Amino acid sequence: VAERISRDAKRMHFQVKLSALDDYQVNNLPHEHLVIFVVSTTGQGDPPENMTVCAHAIDDNFSHPGRTFGNLS
């Protein structure tokens, strides 16, 4: 699914970065114009381990507005 979205976005002239969540530098989020996360759950709907750091950073942002990713909505 992520690869198809990436191809479609490139065809529409978006700048695309496709990577695993644990390879993504979370501190780049404030500099992104658009972010699409494609994440599959594991087991009984549990989040995958490789999204832990990213998910915590995003959760922390919404718990403390203006703290890390002030422009993230």
Side-chain angles (χ1 to χ4, degrees):
V1 173
E3 290 173 349
R4 187 188 63 197
I5 292 170
S6 173
R7 282 191 306 271
D8 291 346
K10 285 178 183 177
R11 271 190 236 120
M12 292 185 279
H13 307 286
F14 283 94
Q15 215 174 14
V16 176
K17 299 175 203 169
L18 180 64
S19 67
L21 276 173
D22 52 356
D23 292 336
Y24 181 74
Q25 297 296 315
V26 179
N27 57 347
N28 287 335
L29 270 175
H31 310 289
E32 305 288 3
H33 295 285
L34 174 68
V35 177
I36 298 172
F37 295 101
V38 178
V39 180
S40 297
T41 58
T42 62
Q44 299 295 322
D46 300 318
E49 285 186 35
N50 73 340
M51 76 172 284
T52 304
V53 171
C54 191
H56 284 294
I58 292 169
D59 284 344
D60 191 46
N61 175 72
F62 287 108
S63 297
H64 304 92
R67 186 172 182 187
T68 309
F69 312 125
N71 62 336
L72 188 64
S73 58

